[in-house]
Protein backbone atom coordinates (compact mmCIF):
# COMPACT_ATOMS: atom_id res chain seq x y z
CA UNK A 1 0.00 0.00 0.00
CA UNK A 2 1.11 3.55 -0.61
CA UNK A 3 0.04 6.80 1.07
CA UNK A 4 -2.96 8.59 -0.50
CA UNK A 5 -0.89 11.58 -1.67
CA UNK A 6 1.64 9.25 -3.33
CA UNK A 7 -1.13 7.20 -5.01
CA UNK A 8 -2.76 10.39 -6.29
CA UNK A 9 0.54 11.60 -7.69
CA UNK A 10 1.24 8.23 -9.32
CA UNK A 11 -2.20 8.02 -10.93
CA UNK A 12 -1.86 11.54 -12.29
CA UNK A 13 1.57 10.72 -13.75
CA UNK A 14 0.26 7.51 -15.33
CA UNK A 15 -2.64 9.40 -16.86
CA UNK A 16 -0.38 12.10 -18.31
CA UNK A 17 2.01 9.52 -19.75
CA UNK A 18 -0.95 7.63 -21.23
CA UNK A 19 -2.12 10.78 -23.00
CA UNK A 20 1.27 10.85 -24.69
CA UNK A 21 0.65 7.34 -25.97
CA UNK A 22 3.08 5.72 -23.54
CA UNK A 23 2.52 2.44 -21.74
CA UNK A 24 3.38 2.02 -18.06
CA UNK A 25 5.00 -0.77 -16.06
CA UNK A 26 5.00 -0.58 -12.25
CA UNK A 27 8.06 -1.99 -10.47
CA UNK A 28 7.88 -3.45 -6.95
CA UNK A 29 10.12 -5.58 -4.76
CA UNK A 30 9.83 -8.04 -1.88
CA UNK A 31 12.32 -10.12 0.07
CA UNK A 32 11.57 -13.85 0.15
CA UNK A 33 13.07 -16.35 2.54
CA UNK A 34 12.32 -19.36 0.37
CA UNK A 35 11.53 -20.14 -3.23
CA UNK A 36 8.33 -18.97 -4.93
CA UNK A 37 5.67 -21.56 -4.20
CA UNK A 38 2.40 -19.66 -4.39
CA UNK A 39 2.73 -16.81 -6.87
CA UNK A 40 -0.71 -15.36 -6.11
CA UNK A 41 0.23 -15.13 -2.43
CA UNK A 42 3.86 -14.15 -2.81
CA UNK A 43 3.20 -11.23 -5.16
CA UNK A 44 1.24 -9.42 -2.45
CA UNK A 45 2.84 -6.96 -0.07
CA UNK A 46 5.35 -5.64 -2.60
CA UNK A 47 7.25 -2.47 -1.88
CA UNK A 48 6.62 0.13 -4.57
CA UNK A 49 9.87 1.06 -6.33
CA UNK A 50 8.74 3.19 -9.26
CA UNK A 51 7.19 3.37 -12.69
CA UNK A 52 8.61 2.87 -16.17
CA UNK A 53 6.99 4.43 -19.22
CA UNK A 54 7.82 3.30 -22.74
CA UNK A 55 6.67 4.00 -26.26
CA UNK A 56 5.37 1.39 -28.68
CA UNK A 57 6.02 3.54 -31.78
CA UNK A 58 3.26 4.05 -34.32
CA UNK A 59 4.12 2.82 -37.80
CA UNK A 60 4.98 5.67 -40.14
CA UNK A 61 2.57 4.27 -42.73
CA UNK A 62 -0.41 4.06 -40.38
CA UNK A 63 -1.74 7.57 -40.95
CA UNK A 64 -1.55 7.26 -44.74
CA UNK A 65 -3.23 3.83 -44.63
CA UNK A 66 -6.11 5.15 -42.52
CA UNK A 67 -6.56 8.06 -44.90
CA UNK A 68 -6.65 5.70 -47.89
CA UNK A 69 -9.19 3.53 -46.11
CA UNK A 70 -11.45 6.56 -45.79
CA UNK A 71 -11.38 7.13 -49.55
CA UNK A 72 -12.57 3.54 -50.01
CA UNK A 73 -15.41 3.95 -47.53
CA UNK A 74 -13.73 1.54 -45.09
CA UNK A 75 -14.20 2.36 -41.41
CA UNK A 76 -11.33 1.47 -39.09
CA UNK A 77 -11.98 0.89 -35.39
CA UNK A 78 -9.61 0.09 -32.55
CA UNK A 79 -10.61 -2.55 -30.00
CA UNK A 80 -7.89 -2.79 -27.36
CA UNK A 81 -7.21 -3.77 -23.80
CA UNK A 82 -4.99 -0.71 -23.35
CA UNK A 83 -6.04 2.23 -21.20
CA UNK A 84 -8.37 4.92 -22.46
CA UNK A 85 -5.56 7.48 -22.50
CA UNK A 86 -3.15 5.31 -24.51
CA UNK A 87 -5.81 4.20 -26.99
CA UNK A 88 -7.00 7.77 -27.49
CA UNK A 89 -3.49 9.11 -28.00
CA UNK A 90 -2.58 6.45 -30.56
CA UNK A 91 -5.85 6.92 -32.46
CA UNK A 92 -5.36 10.70 -32.47
CA UNK A 93 -1.76 10.45 -33.70
CA UNK A 94 -2.82 8.15 -36.53
CA UNK A 95 -5.60 10.51 -37.62
CA UNK A 96 -8.38 8.08 -36.77
CA UNK A 97 -10.11 10.47 -34.34
CA UNK A 98 -10.05 14.26 -34.01
CA UNK A 99 -10.16 14.33 -30.21
CA UNK A 100 -8.12 11.98 -27.97
CA UNK A 101 -11.05 11.79 -25.54
CA UNK A 102 -13.39 10.26 -28.14
CA UNK A 103 -12.91 6.82 -26.59
CA UNK A 104 -15.35 4.51 -24.83
CA UNK A 105 -14.22 1.90 -22.32
CA UNK A 106 -15.49 -1.61 -21.88
CA UNK A 107 -17.16 -0.73 -18.56
CA UNK A 108 -18.94 2.22 -20.14
CA UNK A 109 -20.06 0.01 -22.99
CA UNK A 110 -21.51 -2.63 -20.63
CA UNK A 111 -23.44 0.05 -18.75
CA UNK A 112 -25.42 0.97 -21.89
CA UNK A 113 -28.74 -0.46 -22.99
CA UNK A 114 -28.91 -2.78 -25.99
CA UNK A 115 -30.15 -0.04 -28.36
CA UNK A 116 -27.48 2.37 -27.11
CA UNK A 117 -24.79 -0.25 -27.70
CA UNK A 118 -25.94 -0.60 -31.31
CA UNK A 119 -25.57 3.15 -31.83
CA UNK A 120 -22.25 3.40 -29.98
CA UNK A 121 -20.58 0.75 -32.14
CA UNK A 122 -21.21 2.93 -35.19
CA UNK A 123 -20.49 6.29 -33.54
CA UNK A 124 -17.18 5.47 -31.81
CA UNK A 125 -13.97 4.38 -33.51
CA UNK A 126 -11.95 3.52 -30.38
CA UNK A 127 -12.87 1.03 -27.65
CA UNK A 128 -10.42 0.75 -24.72
CA UNK A 129 -10.11 -1.64 -21.79
CA UNK A 130 -12.32 -4.16 -23.59
CA UNK A 131 -12.28 -7.84 -22.68
CA UNK A 132 -12.30 -10.69 -25.24
CA UNK A 133 -16.03 -11.11 -24.63
CA UNK A 134 -16.66 -7.43 -25.29
CA UNK A 135 -14.64 -7.57 -28.52
CA UNK A 136 -16.77 -10.50 -29.59
CA UNK A 137 -19.97 -8.61 -28.79
CA UNK A 138 -18.88 -5.43 -30.60
CA UNK A 139 -18.00 -7.41 -33.73
CA UNK A 140 -21.42 -9.07 -33.70
CA UNK A 141 -23.20 -5.72 -33.36
CA UNK A 142 -21.21 -4.24 -36.24
CA UNK A 143 -22.02 -7.23 -38.43
CA UNK A 144 -25.71 -6.37 -38.26
CA UNK A 145 -24.93 -3.39 -40.52
CA UNK A 146 -21.55 -4.04 -42.11
CA UNK A 147 -19.16 -6.66 -43.40
CA UNK A 148 -16.49 -6.78 -40.71
CA UNK A 149 -12.85 -7.75 -40.92
CA UNK A 150 -10.92 -8.11 -37.65
CA UNK A 151 -7.14 -7.94 -37.33
CA UNK A 152 -5.68 -9.52 -34.20
CA UNK A 153 -2.71 -11.52 -33.02
CA UNK A 154 -3.13 -12.62 -29.40
CA UNK A 155 -4.95 -15.46 -27.67
CA UNK A 156 -7.52 -12.96 -26.37
CA UNK A 157 -8.39 -12.03 -29.96
CA UNK A 158 -9.49 -15.55 -30.88
CA UNK A 159 -13.23 -15.09 -30.08
CA UNK A 160 -13.43 -11.91 -32.18
CA UNK A 161 -11.46 -13.55 -35.01
CA UNK A 162 -13.80 -16.50 -34.97
CA UNK A 163 -16.96 -14.42 -35.33
CA UNK A 164 -15.68 -11.81 -37.83
CA UNK A 165 -16.64 -12.03 -41.51
CA UNK A 166 -12.94 -11.93 -42.37
CA UNK A 167 -10.38 -12.87 -39.73
CA UNK A 168 -6.88 -11.46 -40.32
CA UNK A 169 -3.70 -12.06 -38.34
CA UNK A 170 -0.04 -11.21 -38.75
CA UNK A 171 2.54 -13.93 -39.27
CA UNK A 172 3.82 -13.65 -35.68
CA UNK A 173 0.36 -14.18 -34.17
CA UNK A 174 -0.32 -16.84 -31.57
CA UNK A 175 -1.17 -20.34 -32.75
CA UNK A 176 -4.79 -20.03 -31.59
CA UNK A 177 -5.22 -16.75 -33.46
CA UNK A 178 -3.70 -18.25 -36.62
CA UNK A 179 -6.06 -21.22 -36.41
CA UNK A 180 -9.05 -18.88 -36.30
CA UNK A 181 -7.80 -16.67 -39.14
CA UNK A 182 -8.90 -16.57 -42.77
CA UNK A 183 -5.89 -14.50 -43.88
CA UNK A 184 -2.32 -14.40 -42.56
CA UNK A 185 -0.40 -11.21 -43.44
CA UNK A 186 3.23 -11.86 -44.34
CA UNK A 187 3.83 -8.11 -44.46
CA UNK A 188 2.92 -6.49 -41.15
CA UNK A 189 1.27 -3.36 -42.53
CA UNK A 190 -2.25 -1.99 -42.72
CA UNK A 191 -1.45 -0.91 -46.29
CA UNK A 192 -1.56 -4.57 -47.34
CA UNK A 193 -5.18 -4.86 -46.21
CA UNK A 194 -6.20 -1.59 -47.89
CA UNK A 195 -4.43 -2.58 -51.11
CA UNK A 196 -6.28 -5.90 -51.07
CA UNK A 197 -9.65 -4.17 -50.68
CA UNK A 198 -8.89 -1.74 -53.51
CA UNK A 199 -7.65 -4.44 -55.86
CA UNK A 200 -10.66 -6.64 -55.10
CA UNK A 201 -13.06 -3.82 -55.99
CA UNK A 202 -11.16 -3.10 -59.20
CA UNK A 203 -11.39 -6.75 -60.23
CA UNK A 204 -15.08 -6.77 -59.36
CA UNK A 205 -15.74 -3.63 -61.41
CA UNK A 206 -13.85 -4.90 -64.46
CA UNK A 207 -15.57 -8.27 -64.27
CA UNK A 208 -18.95 -6.53 -64.32
CA UNK A 209 -17.84 -4.47 -67.34
CA UNK A 210 -16.90 -7.61 -69.22
CA UNK A 211 -20.17 -9.38 -68.44
CA UNK A 212 -22.31 -6.40 -69.45
CA UNK A 213 -20.36 -5.68 -72.63
CA UNK A 214 -20.38 -9.32 -73.73
CA UNK A 215 -24.06 -9.88 -73.00
CA UNK A 216 -25.23 -6.68 -74.65
CA UNK A 217 -23.13 -7.19 -77.78
CA UNK A 218 -24.08 -10.84 -78.21
CA UNK A 219 -27.77 -10.15 -77.64
CA UNK A 220 -27.72 -7.35 -80.20
CA UNK A 221 -25.91 -9.43 -82.83
CA UNK A 222 -28.07 -12.49 -82.21
CA UNK A 223 -31.38 -10.66 -82.62
CA UNK A 224 -30.20 -8.73 -85.67
CA UNK A 225 -28.78 -11.67 -87.61
CA UNK A 226 -31.76 -13.89 -86.75
CA UNK A 227 -34.36 -11.31 -87.81
CA UNK A 228 -32.42 -10.14 -90.89
CA UNK A 229 -32.24 -13.74 -92.12
CA UNK A 230 -36.04 -13.78 -92.40
CA UNK A 231 -36.06 -11.06 -95.05
CA UNK A 232 -33.20 -12.04 -97.34
CA UNK A 233 -32.19 -15.18 -99.24
CA UNK A 234 -28.50 -15.02 -98.29
CA UNK A 235 -26.58 -14.93 -95.04
CA UNK A 236 -26.11 -11.35 -93.77
CA UNK A 237 -22.75 -12.47 -92.34
CA UNK A 238 -20.84 -15.63 -93.20
CA UNK A 239 -19.88 -17.98 -90.32
CA UNK A 240 -16.17 -17.21 -90.77
CA UNK A 241 -16.90 -13.49 -90.72
CA UNK A 242 -18.87 -13.82 -87.47
CA UNK A 243 -15.97 -15.74 -85.92
CA UNK A 244 -13.58 -13.02 -87.06
CA UNK A 245 -15.77 -10.36 -85.44
CA UNK A 246 -15.68 -12.31 -82.19
CA UNK A 247 -11.90 -12.72 -82.43
CA UNK A 248 -11.19 -9.05 -83.06
CA UNK A 249 -13.52 -7.81 -80.32
CA UNK A 250 -12.32 -10.41 -77.82
CA UNK A 251 -8.84 -8.85 -77.63
CA UNK A 252 -10.13 -5.58 -76.13
CA UNK A 253 -12.46 -7.62 -73.92
CA UNK A 254 -9.44 -9.45 -72.51
CA UNK A 255 -7.75 -6.09 -71.87
CA UNK A 256 -10.73 -5.04 -69.71
CA UNK A 257 -9.03 -6.96 -66.88
CA UNK A 258 -6.33 -4.27 -66.89
CA UNK A 259 -8.69 -1.31 -67.17
CA UNK A 260 -8.73 1.59 -64.73
CA UNK A 261 -11.77 1.90 -62.49
CA UNK A 262 -13.52 5.15 -61.59
CA UNK A 263 -12.92 6.37 -58.05
CA UNK A 264 -16.68 6.45 -57.43
CA UNK A 265 -16.76 2.68 -58.04
CA UNK A 266 -14.20 2.09 -55.30
CA UNK A 267 -15.90 4.01 -52.50
CA UNK A 268 -17.92 1.05 -51.25
CA UNK A 269 -18.33 -2.68 -51.85
CA UNK A 270 -20.91 -3.87 -54.35
CA UNK A 271 -22.83 -7.08 -54.94
CA UNK A 272 -23.66 -8.91 -58.12
CA UNK A 273 -27.23 -8.19 -59.16
CA UNK A 274 -28.14 -10.62 -61.93
CA UNK A 275 -31.43 -8.87 -62.65
CA UNK A 276 -29.74 -5.50 -63.05
CA UNK A 277 -27.04 -6.92 -65.32
CA UNK A 278 -29.63 -8.68 -67.49
CA UNK A 279 -31.78 -5.55 -67.71
CA UNK A 280 -28.83 -3.34 -68.67
CA UNK A 281 -27.65 -5.85 -71.29
CA UNK A 282 -31.16 -6.07 -72.75
CA UNK A 283 -31.58 -2.29 -73.01
CA UNK A 284 -28.18 -1.77 -74.59
CA UNK A 285 -28.65 -4.84 -76.80
CA UNK A 286 -31.80 -3.29 -78.26
CA UNK A 287 -29.87 -0.10 -79.05
CA UNK A 288 -27.19 -2.22 -80.73
CA UNK A 289 -29.80 -4.07 -82.78
CA UNK A 290 -31.33 -0.82 -84.03
CA UNK A 291 -27.95 0.31 -85.34
CA UNK A 292 -27.34 -3.10 -86.92
CA UNK A 293 -30.67 -2.85 -88.73
CA UNK A 294 -29.56 0.54 -90.02
CA UNK A 295 -26.52 -1.10 -91.63
CA UNK A 296 -28.79 -3.80 -93.01
CA UNK A 297 -31.22 -1.27 -94.51
CA UNK A 298 -28.45 0.73 -96.16
CA UNK A 299 -26.54 -2.11 -97.81
CA UNK A 300 -28.68 -5.26 -98.29
CA UNK A 301 -30.17 -4.11 -101.62
CA UNK A 302 -26.74 -3.54 -103.22
CA UNK A 303 -25.25 -7.04 -103.05
CA UNK A 304 -24.60 -9.80 -100.50
CA UNK A 305 -20.85 -9.09 -100.36
CA UNK A 306 -21.37 -5.34 -99.91
CA UNK A 307 -23.69 -6.01 -96.97
CA UNK A 308 -21.36 -8.60 -95.45
CA UNK A 309 -18.24 -6.46 -95.82
CA UNK A 310 -19.75 -3.23 -94.52
CA UNK A 311 -21.71 -4.93 -91.76
CA UNK A 312 -18.51 -6.67 -90.64
CA UNK A 313 -16.67 -3.35 -90.39
CA UNK A 314 -19.62 -1.68 -88.67
CA UNK A 315 -20.07 -4.55 -86.18
CA UNK A 316 -16.43 -4.41 -85.04
CA UNK A 317 -16.35 -0.62 -84.74
CA UNK A 318 -19.65 -0.34 -82.88
CA UNK A 319 -18.62 -3.04 -80.39
CA UNK A 320 -15.37 -1.21 -79.73
CA UNK A 321 -16.99 2.16 -79.06
CA UNK A 322 -19.70 0.43 -77.03
CA UNK A 323 -17.04 -1.03 -74.73
CA UNK A 324 -15.51 2.41 -74.16
CA UNK A 325 -18.94 3.82 -73.34
CA UNK A 326 -20.15 1.22 -70.83
CA UNK A 327 -16.76 0.84 -69.08
CA UNK A 328 -17.87 3.72 -66.84
CA UNK A 329 -21.10 5.05 -65.36
CA UNK A 330 -19.88 8.59 -65.89
CA UNK A 331 -19.90 10.65 -69.09
CA UNK A 332 -16.89 9.61 -71.12
CA UNK A 333 -15.11 12.96 -70.65
CA UNK A 334 -15.39 12.75 -66.84
CA UNK A 335 -14.36 9.11 -66.53
CA UNK A 336 -10.99 7.72 -65.51
CA UNK A 337 -8.90 7.22 -68.69
CA UNK A 338 -8.83 3.64 -70.02
CA UNK A 339 -5.73 1.50 -69.54
CA UNK A 340 -2.97 1.43 -72.16
CA UNK A 341 -3.57 -2.27 -73.05
CA UNK A 342 -7.26 -1.57 -73.64
CA UNK A 343 -6.48 1.40 -75.90
CA UNK A 344 -3.77 -0.51 -77.76
CA UNK A 345 -5.76 -3.67 -78.47
CA UNK A 346 -8.84 -1.64 -79.41
CA UNK A 347 -6.71 0.32 -81.86
CA UNK A 348 -5.38 -2.90 -83.39
CA UNK A 349 -8.92 -4.28 -83.78
CA UNK A 350 -10.12 -0.96 -85.25
CA UNK A 351 -7.39 -0.81 -87.89
CA UNK A 352 -7.65 -4.53 -88.73
CA UNK A 353 -11.40 -4.31 -89.36
CA UNK A 354 -10.93 -1.45 -91.84
CA UNK A 355 -7.72 -2.62 -93.55
CA UNK A 356 -8.48 -6.36 -93.88
CA UNK A 357 -11.29 -5.96 -96.50
CA UNK A 358 -8.77 -4.15 -98.76
CA UNK A 359 -6.30 -7.06 -98.68
CA UNK A 360 -6.00 -10.25 -100.71
CA UNK A 361 -6.31 -12.26 -97.49
CA UNK A 362 -9.64 -10.61 -96.77
CA UNK A 363 -10.88 -11.31 -100.29
CA UNK A 364 -9.82 -14.96 -100.51
CA UNK A 365 -10.29 -16.25 -96.96
CA UNK A 366 -13.16 -14.11 -95.66
CA UNK A 367 -14.86 -13.31 -98.99
CA UNK A 368 -14.85 -9.56 -98.49
CA UNK A 369 -14.86 -7.08 -101.35
CA UNK A 370 -12.91 -3.84 -101.48
CA UNK A 371 -15.08 -1.28 -99.67
CA UNK A 372 -16.18 1.95 -101.28
CA UNK A 373 -14.61 4.90 -99.45
CA UNK A 374 -17.99 6.60 -99.31
CA UNK A 375 -19.28 3.56 -97.43
CA UNK A 376 -16.35 3.71 -95.01
CA UNK A 377 -17.12 7.33 -94.22
CA UNK A 378 -20.80 6.47 -93.76
CA UNK A 379 -19.89 3.61 -91.40
CA UNK A 380 -17.68 5.93 -89.34
CA UNK A 381 -20.51 8.49 -89.10
CA UNK A 382 -22.97 5.80 -87.97
CA UNK A 383 -20.42 4.51 -85.45
CA UNK A 384 -20.02 8.00 -84.01
CA UNK A 385 -23.79 8.40 -83.78
CA UNK A 386 -24.03 5.00 -82.09
CA UNK A 387 -21.43 6.02 -79.51
CA UNK A 388 -23.37 9.19 -78.67
CA UNK A 389 -26.59 7.18 -78.43
CA UNK A 390 -25.09 4.62 -76.07
CA UNK A 391 -23.75 7.42 -73.88
CA UNK A 392 -27.19 9.04 -73.65
CA UNK A 393 -29.01 5.75 -73.01
CA UNK A 394 -26.40 4.70 -70.44
CA UNK A 395 -26.68 7.94 -68.47
CA UNK A 396 -30.48 7.87 -68.60
CA UNK A 397 -30.49 4.25 -67.45
CA UNK A 398 -28.27 4.88 -64.43
CA UNK A 399 -30.18 8.02 -63.53
CA UNK A 400 -33.77 6.84 -63.89
CA UNK A 401 -33.93 3.04 -64.12
CA UNK A 402 -31.16 2.21 -61.67
CA UNK A 403 -31.10 5.38 -59.60
CA UNK A 404 -32.97 3.90 -56.63
CA UNK A 405 -30.64 0.97 -56.24
CA UNK A 406 -26.94 1.61 -56.44
CA UNK A 407 -25.92 -1.67 -54.85
CA UNK A 408 -25.34 -3.60 -58.03
CA UNK A 409 -22.68 -5.24 -60.17
Amino acid sequence: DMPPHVRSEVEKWVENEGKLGKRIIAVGKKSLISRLENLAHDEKGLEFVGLVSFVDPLKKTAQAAIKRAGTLGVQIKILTGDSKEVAGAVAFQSGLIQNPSDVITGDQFDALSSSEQHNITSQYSVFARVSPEQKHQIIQLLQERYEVGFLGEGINDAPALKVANVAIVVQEASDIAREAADIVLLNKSLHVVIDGIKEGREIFGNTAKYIKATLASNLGNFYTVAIASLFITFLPLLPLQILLINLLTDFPMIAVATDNVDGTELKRPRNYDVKEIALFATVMGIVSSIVDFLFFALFFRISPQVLQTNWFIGSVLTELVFLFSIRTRLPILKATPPSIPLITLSGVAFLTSIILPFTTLGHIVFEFITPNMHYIILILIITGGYFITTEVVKLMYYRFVNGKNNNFQ
Side-chain angles (χ1 to χ4, degrees):
D1 293 335
M2 61 179 70
H5 71 280
V6 176
R7 176 180 292 274
S8 176
E9 185 177 348
V10 166
E11 290 176 349
K12 185 177 181 180
W13 186 84
V14 169
E15 182 180 348
N16 290 335
E17 291 295 295
K19 289 179 180 178
L20 297 176
K22 297 181 180 180
R23 291 178 169 84
I24 308 299
I25 294 178
V27 180
K29 67 178 183 178
K30 179 180 181 180
S31 299
L32 297 174
I33 299 175
S34 59
R35 283 184 171 185
L36 290 174
E37 295 180 358
N38 187 337
L39 183 60
H41 175 268
D42 291 337
E43 70 180 1
K44 295 179 180 179
L46 298 174
E47 180 185 349
F48 177 71
V49 175
L51 299 167
V52 178
S53 70
F54 65 96
V55 177
D56 187 1
L58 190 67
K59 280 185 172 290
K60 296 180 180 179
T61 58
Q63 191 168 7
I66 290 173
K67 187 176 181 179
R68 286 186 61 212
T71 64
L72 297 176
V74 176
Q75 296 183 38
I76 294 180
K77 297 181 183 292
I78 295 176
L79 280 65
T80 179
D82 287 334
S83 70
K84 181 176 181 178
E85 292 76 21
V86 172
V90 171
F92 176 73
Q93 292 169 15
S94 65
L96 183 59
I97 57 178
Q98 301 300 315
N99 190 327
S101 63
D102 290 340
V103 181
I104 183 170
T105 64
D107 290 340
Q108 291 172 327
F109 181 78
D110 281 341
L112 300 173
S113 64
S114 178
S115 61
E116 288 174 329
Q117 287 179 344
H118 279 80
N119 294 330
I120 285 297
T121 53
S122 296
Q123 293 174 5
Y124 278 80
S125 296
V126 185
F127 298 81
R129 290 296 186 205
V130 289
S131 64
E133 293 80 8
Q134 290 167 335
K135 289 183 181 180
H136 183 276
Q137 183 183 2
I138 292 169
I139 296 295
Q140 285 186 314
L141 293 175
L142 287 170
Q143 284 177 321
E144 295 179 6
R145 301 182 184 180
Y146 311 101
E147 294 292 318
V148 179
F150 182 78
L151 174 60
E153 61 181 358
I155 296 175
N156 291 339
D157 293 323
L161 289 167
K162 192 69 176 178
V163 75
N165 296 115
V166 181
I168 309 170
V169 299
V170 294
Q171 192 174 14
E172 298 81 8
S174 65
D175 291 340
I176 294 178
R178 288 169 62 94
E179 286 292 329
D182 301 307
I183 299 173
V184 178
L185 299 182
L186 302 182
N187 185 347
K188 197 174 181 180
S189 171
L190 185 59
H191 270 296
V192 175
V193 179
I194 306 304
D195 287 339
I197 293 172
K198 182 176 182 290
E199 185 172 348
R201 293 182 184 179
E202 288 175 344
I203 293 172
F204 186 96
N206 286 333
T207 301
K209 292 178 193 177
Y210 178 85
I211 294 173
K212 288 183 176 182
T214 303
L215 278 179
S217 298
N218 288 342
L219 283 174
N221 292 336
F222 171 77
Y223 290 135
T224 306
V225 173
I227 296 173
S229 299
L230 299 176
F231 298 95
I232 56 178
T233 58
F234 59 88
L235 292 175
L237 283 170
L238 299 177
L240 199 58
Q241 294 169 348
I242 294 175
L243 291 176
L244 182 58
I245 291 173
N246 290 335
L247 178 64
L248 290 177
T249 55
D250 276 348
F251 282 113
M253 288 291 187
I254 294 172
V256 166
T258 70
D259 193 23
N260 301 318
V261 180
D262 291 327
T264 54
E265 296 292 304
L266 302 177
K267 287 185 176 179
R268 60 188 179 86
R270 298 181 183 276
N271 299 320
Y272 283 108
D273 188 336
V274 177
K275 291 182 180 179
E276 191 280 331
I277 292 175
L279 178 60
F280 180 85
T282 302
V283 171
M284 303 308 292
I286 292 172
V287 175
S288 177
S289 292
I290 293 173
V291 175
D292 284 339
F293 281 125
L294 181 58
F295 283 114
F296 176 78
L298 289 172
F299 301 117
F300 89 98
R301 294 182 185 276
I302 302 173
S303 73
Q305 286 186 310
V306 169
L307 173 62
Q308 291 163 356
T309 301
N310 292 327
W311 202 349
F312 163 80
I313 297 172
S315 294
V316 175
L317 299 190
T318 52
E319 285 198 35
L320 292 177
V321 298
F322 175 72
L323 177 59
F324 278 85
S325 176
I326 64 99
R327 61 173 289 274
T328 173
R329 296 163 175 256
L330 302 173
I332 189 68
L333 296 179
K334 294 183 179 180
T336 302
S339 65
I340 298 300
L342 180 58
I343 295 175
T344 302
L345 292 178
S346 296
V348 171
F350 181 91
L351 293 175
T352 302
S353 65
I354 294 180
I355 295 173
L356 186 62
F358 288 91
T359 66
T360 303
L361 176 66
H363 295 163
I364 296 174
V365 177
F366 299 101
E367 300 184 36
F368 295 133
I369 63 170
T370 302
N372 185 312
M373 288 306 299
H374 294 293
Y375 294 159
I376 295 293
I377 294 173
L378 182 58
I379 291 170
L380 292 175
I381 292 173
I382 295 173
T383 301
Y386 173 67
F387 177 74
I388 295 173
T389 303
T390 57
E391 277 289 286
V392 172
V393 173
K394 174 193 73 175
L395 295 175
M396 290 178 63
Y397 174 87
Y398 285 130
R399 180 175 180 180
F400 298 107
V401 178
N402 197 241
K404 295 182 180 180
N405 180 20
N406 289 321
N407 189 29
F408 61 84
Q409 289 190 337

